[in-house]
């Protein structure tokens, strides 16, 4: 039998019972009883028909469901009867559940979700451990090939490398795209299929540079080609080299690095065509041959039944062998030195789980996202307390109803279950609305993290995991806010509850105390959230006001890469461009550098120095930055000793360098480094000595929080690389110069693409994405917490005054002044808030300790933030209790006493 | 009071199913007839509680041991819900019968051990 047949069955049963009852009645009559007697006798012998029916229902096996359905129907009716309460509770819950769900969906997409590939749990990420350097994940191509042959532990290995933006020209119009070079095994080993055409295959790699094919990502297909199925076989130019598009990947595959979206994939053996300067084909550092040229990320798929530890143990000798080959290949190369050899030979291999893809995004956003999750979790607790208070007040209003039901024989457990059903319905209603809110809020969140130096593009469509999470949270929330009120509500003595004026004062006081402690809890949590928000916001402000060693105001950054359109020697072009840009109206001075200031990529190497004490070298890592003439003047970096780079520092003249304070201190102590020499064979491929001509103060190169790093500046015109960024110091807002500057670039070479234009201040802001994310979210949620607490406080005080109307009336009749009555209400509020603060402050101290690493320029126990949070709370408390206090003061004693 | 009735029904439950099945062996019958038959055969020793009879009938039907159908009674011009034993119910009756026999003998051996010896 199905549950929808119950009604029919019930009718049937009713007929059956009635016909048997009538039969019994007839038999009684046949025995000579009067019709009346017969009816009563029949009824007597049958007993309670309602009970028989109930028991028979149980026999059908659907009694539980029936009871549930009845509870739900009854609860819905109850909720409909008080729409004000229902709407308020659902809205409050939707806020809390929505916030938690939105943040969770972000965490799920960024930190938890597995790669959309086959059997992701079998994937491992290859890492290199070197005691002297941070963990590294770049391998050489020959090394990758030797891993690929270890088929007894690896079912397959894949290699890839994301390169700079490539220029893709389709039907004569060009545009930038995110490109990645991949091994032929990349798609087959991941198990990612093409939805159109084919993927890149091992054969594309094995024909060595003879396979100009490209596979595009689904999103790129959509945005650039409007999902045109004719894209297969289309010829495009990638960095001016003709390629044929052979396939489109599955829509859910974005690449193996969460937060990145790859537009176009090409075989890694084509690297030399697209990035000739980088590939150094035929040279000593050939990306496909040099055993020391570490440039590829490597991932592997473990053979079935092989553990990560075992695979790592059997790959270690292969890795060690390839390191020895690399060191042997150093012979005769300029950067060969015992120190470099030692650093190669002490490397060890490590395999990390690769099921979620590369870990970079997780490292960057893990802590900030969990902080935000903790914040919304606390906010959810506040909403629980708030709704629990609403339910308590409602329980008081329903006291009579519940007493009546208890008196009629309803079981207490049964009543609690029914009240909990109501709570769960509220929770589910709030959850459903919350998911809607989360969906909407998610776009904002994604937009917050999608702007930045490395835009994070996440596929954060709410999926089943997120929906299941929201459902779980709704149910849990319902249990948290519903249990205590339900238990308290049924704790009524029927005889007293039903008596007209015999209202149990003790019971009400008890319930009132519970309401008060819930308010104290809300105040405490709100204090914690506000202090957190204050600390994180002040951190952001501190970072923005922090002086990074250069002046970030009024600087325009403009990046170009002439090698993309075929330039071999970029220096003449750069000189010409710089001459034109620095003479633009409004531009005070101009220079250029290989990397943008505060870019995430930095080059580093080890150095030798020649000082008064002779030659000195160690394994310390020094960042190298090639920059143009007048760089330090343009960036307003303090020159401590010596001179800035000049136009005359060009190839053919004496090689020169400028170092920073940290490097000077490390290698020369307090002595003057100007006039000394430094050598960087590992970087320039030439062991000759470079003269130090200046010393500048330390600046933040990469990130505002970094500690001082050693830095060596070289003249860009002596050491040209591919692309460069021009820095223009302007007299006014750099936006005014932007059009002119772009025009100048076009006038110099119409084909030269400008890959980015922004101000240095933008660049600085973009480096603070995760800080801004936590700061703005903690502000929003802190405010919400404050608002909810304020509403809760108001509700409690208003209810309180209402309940005590007659008591206040008596007090007034006995001569209490109105002012004192108002003060009494205010004092009660203040006491509650004080309790909340007393609990909240130590709790905040504990939590602030946990986020110490996220703070900048202030201590977790920051007196300004603490006192501000308490002050705001106090003001809000007064505002919330102002109207109840006024109402209390305006009670008319005569009327109050008359209603009693 | 309600509690007492429930307890009584629980004790009787195992045997009630058997008694109903046995009664239906004579042919189809409606609820009232079944109750009356059991009561009469035991000389009114077993007072049939309607409160347990109908749930028991529906339970047997759910397990597929009996089937029901509305039919007109031969002696009265009115429809009753007739229950009929199925093949499955017949087998179940044999099972329950032998179980009950074993049970009764076991109880008897404990209660009157002397009778066994003689």
């Amino acid at each position: 039998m199905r549950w929808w047949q119950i009604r029919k069955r019930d009718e049937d049963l009713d007929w059956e019972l009635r016909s048997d009852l009538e039969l019994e009645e007839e038999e009684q009559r046949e025995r000579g009883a009067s019709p009346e007697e017969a009816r009563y006798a029949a009824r007597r012998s049958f007993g309670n028909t309602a009970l028989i029916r109930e028991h028979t229902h149980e026999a059908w096996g659907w009694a539980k469901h029936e009871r549930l359905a009845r509870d739900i129907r009854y609860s819905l009716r109850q909720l409909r009867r008080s729409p004000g309460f229902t709407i308020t509770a659902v809205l409050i819950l939707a806020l809390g559940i929505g916030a938690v769900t939105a943040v969770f969906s972000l965490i799920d997409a960024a930190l938890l979700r597995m790669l959309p590939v086959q059997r992701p749990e079998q994937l491992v990420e290859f890492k290199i451990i070197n005691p002297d350097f941070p963990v590294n994940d770049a391998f050489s191509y020959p090394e990758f090939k030797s891993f690929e042959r270890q088929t007894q532990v690896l079912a397959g290995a894949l290699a890839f490398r994301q390169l700079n933006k490539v220029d893709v020209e389709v039907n004569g119009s060009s545009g930038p795209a995110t490109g990645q070079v991949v091994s032929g095994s990349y798609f087959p080993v991941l198990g990612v299929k093409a939805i159109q055409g084919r993927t890149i295959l091992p054969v594309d790699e094995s024909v060595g540079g003879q396979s100009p094919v490209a596979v595009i990502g689904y999103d790129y297909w959509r945005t650039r080609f409007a999902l045109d199925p004719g894209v297969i076989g289309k010829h495009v130019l990638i960095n001016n080299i003709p390629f044929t598009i052979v396939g489109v990947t599955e829509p859910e595959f974005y690449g193996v690095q969460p937060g990145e979206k790859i537009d176009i994939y090409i075989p890694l053996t084509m690297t030399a065509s697209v990035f000739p300067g980088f590939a150094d084909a035929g040279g000593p550092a050939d990306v496909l041959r040099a055993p020391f040229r570490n440039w590829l990320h490597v991932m592997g798929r473990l053979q079935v039944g092989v553990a990560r530890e075992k695979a790592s143990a059997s790959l270690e000798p292969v890795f060690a062998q390839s390191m020895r080959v690399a060191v042997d290949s150093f012979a005769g190369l300029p950067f060969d030195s015992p120190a470099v050899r030692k650093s190669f030979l002490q490397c060890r291999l490590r395999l990390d789980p690769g099921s979620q893809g590369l870990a970079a995004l997780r490292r960057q956003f893990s802590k900030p996202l969990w902080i935000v999750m903790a914040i919304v979790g606390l906010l959810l607790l506040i909403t629980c307390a708030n709704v629990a208070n609403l339910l308590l007040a409602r329980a008081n209003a329903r006291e009579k109803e519940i007493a009546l039901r208890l008196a009629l024989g309803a079981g207490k457990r049964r009543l609690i279950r029914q009240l909990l059903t109501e709570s769960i319905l509220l929770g589910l209603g709030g959850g459903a609305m919350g998911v809607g809110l989360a969906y909407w809020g998610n776009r904002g969140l994604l937009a917050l993290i999608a702007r930045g130096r490395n835009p994070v593009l996440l596929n954060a469509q709410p999926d089943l995991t997120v929906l299941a999470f929201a459902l779980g949270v709704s149910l849990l929330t319902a249990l948290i806010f519903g249990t205590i009120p339900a238990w308290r509500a049924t704790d009524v003595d029927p005889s007293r509850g039903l008596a007209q004026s015999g209202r149990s004062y003790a019971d009400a006081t008890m319930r009132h105390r519970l309401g008060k402690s819930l308010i104290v809890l809300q105040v405490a949590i709100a204090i914690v959230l506000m202090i957190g928000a204050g600390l994180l916001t002040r951190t952001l402000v501190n970072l923005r006001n922090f002086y990074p060693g250069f002046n970030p105001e009024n600087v325009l950054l403009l990046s170009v890469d002439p090698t993309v359109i075929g330039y071999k020697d970029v220096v003449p072009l750069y000189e010409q461009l710089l001459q034109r840009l620095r003479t633009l109206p409004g531009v005070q001075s101009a220079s250029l550098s290989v990397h943008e200031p505060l870019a995430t990529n930095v080059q580093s190497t080890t150095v030798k120095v020649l000082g008064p004490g002779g030659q000195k070298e160690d394994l310390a890592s020094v960042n190298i930055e090639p920059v143009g003439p007048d760089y330090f003047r343009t960036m307003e970096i303090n020159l401590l000793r010596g001179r800035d780079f000049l136009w005359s520092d060009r190839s053919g003249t004496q090689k020169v360098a400028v170092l920073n304070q940290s490097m000077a201190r490390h290698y020369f102590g307090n002595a003057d480094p100007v006039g000394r020499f430094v050598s960087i064979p590992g970087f320039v491929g030439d062991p000759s000595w470079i003269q130090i001509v200046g010393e500048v103060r330390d600046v933040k190169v990469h990130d505002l929080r970094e500690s001082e790093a050693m830095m060596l500046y070289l003249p860009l015109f002596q050491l040209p690389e591919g692309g460069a960024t021009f820095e223009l110091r302007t007299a006014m807002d750099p936006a005014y110069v932007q059009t002119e500057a772009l025009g100048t670039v076009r006038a110099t070479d119409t084909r030269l693409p400008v890959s980015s234009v922004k101000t240095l201040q933008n660049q600085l802001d973009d480096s603070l994405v995760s800080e801004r994310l936590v700061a703005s979210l903690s502000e929003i949620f802190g405010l919400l917490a404050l608002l909810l607490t304020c509403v809760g406080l108001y509700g409690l005080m208003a209810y309180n005054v209402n309940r005590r109307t007659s008591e206040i009336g008596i007090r007034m009749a006995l001569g209490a002044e109105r002012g004192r009555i108002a003060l009494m209400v205010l004092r009660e509020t203040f006491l509650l808030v004080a309790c909340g603060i007393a609990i909240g402050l130590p709790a905040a101290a504990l939590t602030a300790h946990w986020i110490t690493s996220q703070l900048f320029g202030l201590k977790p126990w920051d007196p300004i933030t603490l006192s501000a949070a308490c002050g705001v709370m106090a003001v809000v408390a007064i505002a919330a209790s102002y109207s109840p206090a006024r109402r209390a003061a305006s009670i008319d004693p005569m009327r109050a006493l008359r209603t009693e | 009071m309600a509690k007492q009735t429930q307890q009584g029904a629980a004790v009787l439950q195992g045997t009630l199913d058997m008694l109903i099945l046995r009664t239906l062996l004579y042919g189809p019958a409606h609820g009232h007839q079944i109750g009356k038959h059991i009561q009469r055969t035991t000389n009114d020793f077993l007072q049939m509680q309607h409160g347990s009879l109908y749930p028991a009938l529906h339970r047997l039907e759910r397990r597929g041991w009996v089937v029901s159908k509305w039919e007109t009674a031969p002696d009265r011009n009115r429809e009753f819900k007739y229950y009929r034993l199925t093949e499955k119910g017949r087998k179940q009756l044999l099972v329950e019968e032998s179980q009950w026999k074993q049970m009764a003998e076991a109880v008897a051996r404990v209660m009157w051990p002397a009778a066994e010896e003689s």
Side-chain angles (χ1 to χ4, degrees):
Chain A
M1 183 185 56
R2 301 277 173 265
W3 56 268
W4 59 81
Q5 294 169 332
I6 281 185
R7 184 168 292 192
K8 209 175 139 236
R9 289 290 299 227
D10 194 38
E11 272 169 28
D12 193 67
L13 176 67
D14 196 29
W15 273 109
E16 182 180 4
L17 291 176
R18 204 177 301 167
S19 68
D20 283 3
L21 189 65
E22 278 168 20
L23 196 60
E24 174 82 31
E25 211 178 306
E26 276 171 36
E27 282 175 9
Q28 295 282 352
R29 256 205 311 272
E30 279 160 18
R31 271 183 226 156
S34 72
E36 190 118 328
E37 277 170 6
R39 182 149 5 113
Y40 283 131
R43 296 245 154 153
R44 255 198 314 280
S45 88
F46 248 73
N48 184 347
T49 29
L51 199 64
I52 294 176
R53 275 167 70 172
E54 204 138 297
H55 283 161
T56 315
H57 276 237
E58 304 239 3
W60 294 342
W62 285 99
K64 256 188 205 152
H65 306 254
E66 250 184 295
R67 260 201 300 269
L68 183 68
R70 217 173 315 149
D71 276 356
I72 291 176
R73 264 200 306 277
Y74 184 77
S75 302
L76 282 176
R77 210 157 51 222
Q78 285 293 330
L79 291 177
R80 240 194 331 257
R81 264 175 46 187
S82 39
F85 160 80
T86 308
I87 291 171
T88 315
V90 166
L91 275 179
I92 291 177
L93 287 172
L95 269 181
I97 297 174
V100 170
T101 308
V103 174
F104 176 78
S105 69
L106 205 61
I107 286 190
D108 179 50
L111 308 177
L112 306 177
R113 201 177 289 168
M114 298 251 189
L115 285 179
V117 302
Q118 281 173 18
R119 311 287 312 265
E121 68 284 353
Q122 291 174 344
L123 294 176
V124 288
E125 187 185 348
F126 284 58
K127 291 275 174 69
I128 297 175
I129 315 283
N130 185 334
D132 293 334
F133 293 103
V135 177
N136 178 354
D137 57 357
F139 293 83
S140 72
Y141 183 64
E143 221 163 18
F144 160 67
K145 293 312 267 183
S146 64
F147 289 140
E148 213 178 17
R149 284 191 291 273
Q150 305 307 310
T151 48
Q152 71 282 12
V153 287
L154 291 180
L158 59 101
F160 63 95
R161 159 96 187 220
Q162 190 188 325
L163 294 165
N164 298 328
K165 289 262 175 199
V166 291
D167 182 63
V168 177
E169 191 178 323
V170 186
N171 298 338
S173 79
S174 73
T178 309
Q180 184 164 287
V181 296
V182 300
S183 64
S185 53
Y186 183 86
F187 292 106
V189 170
L190 286 177
V192 171
K193 306 243 173 353
I195 56 158
Q196 289 277 331
R198 65 166 177 100
T199 62
I200 289 169
L201 297 170
V203 63
D204 296 312
E205 184 186 335
S206 60
V207 295
Q210 300 304 310
S211 187
V213 295
V215 165
I216 56 175
Y218 184 88
D219 261 32
Y220 193 57
W221 186 38
R222 187 169 55 80
T223 52
R224 189 83 194 265
F225 298 95
L227 299 180
D228 173 17
V231 76
I232 306 301
K234 205 174 190 65
H235 296 287
V236 296
L237 294 178
I238 301 177
N239 285 359
N240 252 353
I241 305 295
F243 274 80
T244 308
I245 293 178
V246 293
V248 179
T249 63
E250 295 165 313
E252 58 273 17
F253 185 72
Y254 275 32
V256 292
Q257 170 130 12
E260 267 180 8
K261 197 187 279 178
I262 306 297
D263 296 327
I264 193 156
Y265 307 83
I266 60 173
L268 56 78
T269 41
M270 294 303 295
T271 310
S273 320
V274 181
F275 298 99
F278 172 80
D280 194 24
D286 187 333
V287 285
L288 295 182
R289 295 207 176 72
F292 57 84
R293 181 73 193 260
N294 294 334
W295 66 294
L296 289 167
H297 297 299
V298 175
M299 291 180 82
R301 182 180 288 280
L302 297 176
Q303 283 284 11
V304 177
V306 173
R308 204 149 44 85
E309 293 71 27
K310 184 173 171 252
S312 163
S314 64
L315 289 174
E316 184 66 52
V318 180
F319 176 72
Q321 172 60 26
S322 74
M323 281 294 151
R324 277 193 295 277
V325 171
V327 167
D328 288 345
S329 73
F330 288 170
L333 287 172
F335 56 82
D336 189 11
S337 83
V340 175
R341 283 175 178 249
K342 180 174 158 255
S343 83
F344 260 74
L345 289 175
Q346 67 189 3
C347 289
R348 291 285 166 272
L349 180 71
R350 189 175 79 192
L351 299 185
D352 284 352
S355 58
Q356 301 170 307
L358 303 194
L361 182 76
R362 292 198 291 282
R363 268 199 305 276
Q364 187 193 352
F365 278 107
S366 174
K367 186 96 184 202
L369 280 179
W370 286 118
I371 289 176
V372 176
M373 192 68 190
I375 291 173
V376 290
L378 287 175
L379 183 71
L380 185 65
L381 257 183
I382 290 191
T383 59
C384 281
N386 223 308
V387 176
N389 248 348
L390 282 178
L391 281 174
L392 279 178
R394 193 168 138 84
N396 271 2
R398 283 170 72 177
E399 196 173 357
K400 248 186 218 133
E401 173 209 330
I402 286 165
L404 182 66
R405 292 169 69 183
L406 281 170
L408 286 178
K412 199 173 151 180
R413 281 181 49 180
R414 187 85 184 67
L415 271 182
I416 288 183
R417 193 156 66 191
Q418 199 265 310
L419 289 173
L420 273 183
T421 310
E422 259 181 66
S423 301
I424 287 173
L425 284 179
L426 284 176
L428 290 178
M433 241 179 97
V435 169
L437 270 182
Y439 189 78
W440 173 75
N442 229 323
R443 295 173 179 210
L445 284 180
L446 286 176
L448 261 179
I449 61 165
R451 48 173 299 203
R453 293 176 297 182
N454 301 320
V456 175
L457 303 165
L458 287 175
N459 189 0
Q461 299 295 326
D463 56 2
L464 276 181
T465 325
V466 173
L467 287 182
F469 174 84
L471 181 70
V473 167
S474 310
L475 292 177
L476 191 72
T477 313
L479 287 183
I480 294 176
F481 72 70
T483 310
I484 296 178
W487 188 74
R488 297 270 345 149
T490 51
D491 203 19
V492 190
D493 181 349
S495 60
R496 269 202 292 175
L498 277 176
Q500 188 61 23
S501 64
R503 189 182 184 124
S504 145
Y505 204 76
D507 274 5
T509 318
M510 187 58 200
R511 209 167 289 158
H512 194 59
R513 203 172 298 152
L514 194 64
K516 279 182 178 173
S517 27
L518 285 172
I519 283 292
V520 168
L521 178 74
Q522 291 185 53
V523 171
I525 297 176
I527 282 284
V528 171
L529 288 183
M530 278 196 294
I531 289 176
L535 291 175
L536 293 164
T537 308
R538 273 173 56 83
T539 292
L540 183 66
V541 171
N542 283 350
L543 279 168
R544 288 208 55 171
N545 293 338
F546 179 72
Y547 183 65
F550 53 83
N551 178 3
E553 274 162 40
N554 291 349
V555 175
L556 186 72
L557 303 177
L558 199 146
S559 306
V560 294
D561 189 353
T563 57
V564 164
I565 52 166
Y567 274 88
K568 294 282 179 276
D569 184 9
V570 294
V571 174
L573 175 73
Y574 284 168
E575 282 180 327
Q576 200 187 350
L577 261 175
L578 189 56
Q579 280 293 6
R580 290 185 175 190
L581 289 171
R582 57 185 270 190
T583 50
L584 280 180
V587 174
Q588 291 177 326
S589 75
S591 186
L592 73 163
S593 58
V594 164
H595 299 113
E596 294 174 339
L598 293 173
T600 45
N601 44 342
V602 200
Q603 308 182 72
S604 61
T605 187
T606 56
V607 303
K608 276 187 233 180
V609 299
L610 186 62
Q615 214 169 306
K616 186 173 161 194
E617 86 172 288
D618 56 21
L619 280 175
S621 151
V622 173
N623 294 332
I624 304 287
E625 184 61 45
V627 298
D630 294 334
Y631 182 74
F632 303 112
R633 183 159 76 89
T634 307
M635 293 294 288
E636 294 183 13
I637 296 172
N638 268 5
L639 199 58
L640 302 174
R641 285 183 173 122
R643 63 166 173 91
D644 206 330
F645 289 124
L646 306 171
W647 283 81
S648 55
D649 294 323
R650 46 189 302 141
S651 66
T653 63
Q654 165 67 42
K655 292 203 159 102
V656 294
V658 170
L659 43 61
N660 74 351
Q661 225 175 338
S662 293
M663 185 173 170
R665 207 177 305 123
H666 181 85
Y667 288 104
F668 301 100
N670 289 325
D672 185 352
V674 174
R676 308 287 174 213
F677 292 90
V678 61
S679 156
I680 42 169
F683 190 75
V684 291
D686 170 5
S688 62
W689 292 105
I690 300 169
Q691 188 171 32
I692 296 167
V693 294
E695 180 186 339
V696 293
R697 65 159 286 169
D698 290 341
V699 303
K700 301 292 172 188
V701 190
H702 178 177
D703 171 345
L704 293 179
R705 290 165 186 266
E706 73 191 359
S707 50
E708 273 64 39
M710 293 197 282
M711 191 79 199
L712 187 66
Y713 298 92
L714 301 171
L716 191 137
F717 292 163
Q718 285 182 343
L719 196 86
E721 287 192 35
T725 298
F726 286 84
E727 290 94 12
L728 276 60
R729 164 81 50 195
T730 55
M732 70 294 241
D733 188 339
Y736 292 115
V737 189
Q738 187 170 324
T739 328
E740 295 270 337
L742 286 174
T744 309
V745 175
R746 238 192 326 274
T748 312
D749 185 336
T750 43
R751 297 171 306 146
L752 184 60
V754 173
S755 51
S756 91
V757 193
K758 56 186 154 191
T759 66
L760 186 51
Q761 192 63 55
N762 289 150
Q763 172 82 345
L764 193 82
D765 289 348
D766 285 355
S767 77
L768 299 174
V769 182
S770 66
E771 282 84 358
R772 181 163 313 105
L773 176 82
V774 243
S776 33
L777 290 183
S778 67
E779 278 164 28
I780 295 172
F781 294 133
L783 270 180
L784 269 179
L786 191 64
L787 187 74
L788 285 174
T789 309
C790 176
V791 169
L793 201 55
Y794 167 80
L796 185 80
M797 294 325 288
Y799 173 70
N800 199 9
V801 167
N802 204 16
R803 194 175 60 90
R804 290 169 65 182
T805 304
S806 57
E807 179 210 322
I808 292 170
I810 294 173
R811 280 174 188 254
M812 282 187 164
L814 291 179
E817 291 162 37
R818 294 187 182 274
R820 292 187 64 107
I821 297 289
L823 219 60
M824 183 180 79
V825 175
L826 285 180
R827 202 173 51 220
E828 195 174 341
T829 317
F830 245 84
L831 208 65
L832 289 177
V833 171
C835 284
I837 291 178
I839 298 171
L841 278 184
L846 284 177
T847 32
H849 190 68
W850 177 60
I851 57 169
T852 308
S853 67
Q854 300 289 312
L855 301 181
F856 185 84
L858 71 167
K859 293 260 172 341
W861 193 253
D862 179 44
I864 299 176
T865 311
L866 295 189
S867 37
C870 297
V872 170
M873 192 72 238
V875 170
V876 165
I878 293 176
S881 54
Y882 175 73
S883 136
R886 257 188 62 153
R887 231 188 66 73
S890 61
I891 285 174
D892 177 355
M894 290 311 289
R895 274 172 57 191
L897 290 176
R898 209 173 296 144
T899 44
E900 180 62 6
Chain B
M1 204 182 77
K3 214 168 187 178
Q4 243 175 13
T5 327
Q6 260 178 359
Q7 238 172 17
V11 172
L12 200 63
Q13 190 172 312
T15 52
L16 179 61
D17 287 3
M18 182 173 75
L19 295 179
I20 293 173
L21 290 175
R22 181 71 184 79
T23 310
L24 287 177
L25 210 54
Y26 298 117
H30 55 78
H32 187 252
Q33 282 175 329
I34 297 170
K36 274 273 141 49
H37 177 261
I38 294 174
Q39 208 163 320
R40 250 194 326 266
T41 333
T42 59
N43 288 332
D44 289 352
F45 175 72
L46 287 179
Q47 288 288 324
M48 274 314 299
Q49 297 282 350
H50 288 86
S52 42
L53 176 65
Y54 290 96
L57 279 170
H58 284 256
R59 193 169 50 239
L60 295 179
E61 188 179 7
R62 191 157 72 93
R63 291 185 185 155
W65 297 338
V66 301
V67 287
S68 66
K69 200 176 177 191
W70 286 89
E71 278 168 38
T72 315
D75 53 340
R76 273 168 234 264
N77 191 16
R78 189 140 42 103
E79 280 206 322
F80 289 101
K81 194 174 182 185
Y82 278 91
Y83 292 89
R84 189 174 273 113
L85 204 57
T86 63
E87 203 40 53
K88 224 169 134 193
R90 241 174 256 277
K91 276 184 198 142
Q92 180 62 23
L93 178 60
L94 290 177
V95 172
E96 294 209 359
E97 212 179 325
S98 76
Q99 269 176 359
W100 174 253
K101 223 180 254 166
Q102 280 174 359
M103 180 74 175
E105 279 166 15
V107 170
R109 253 176 249 148
V110 176
M111 296 306 292
W112 305 283
E116 168 107 335
E117 272 172 339
S118 62

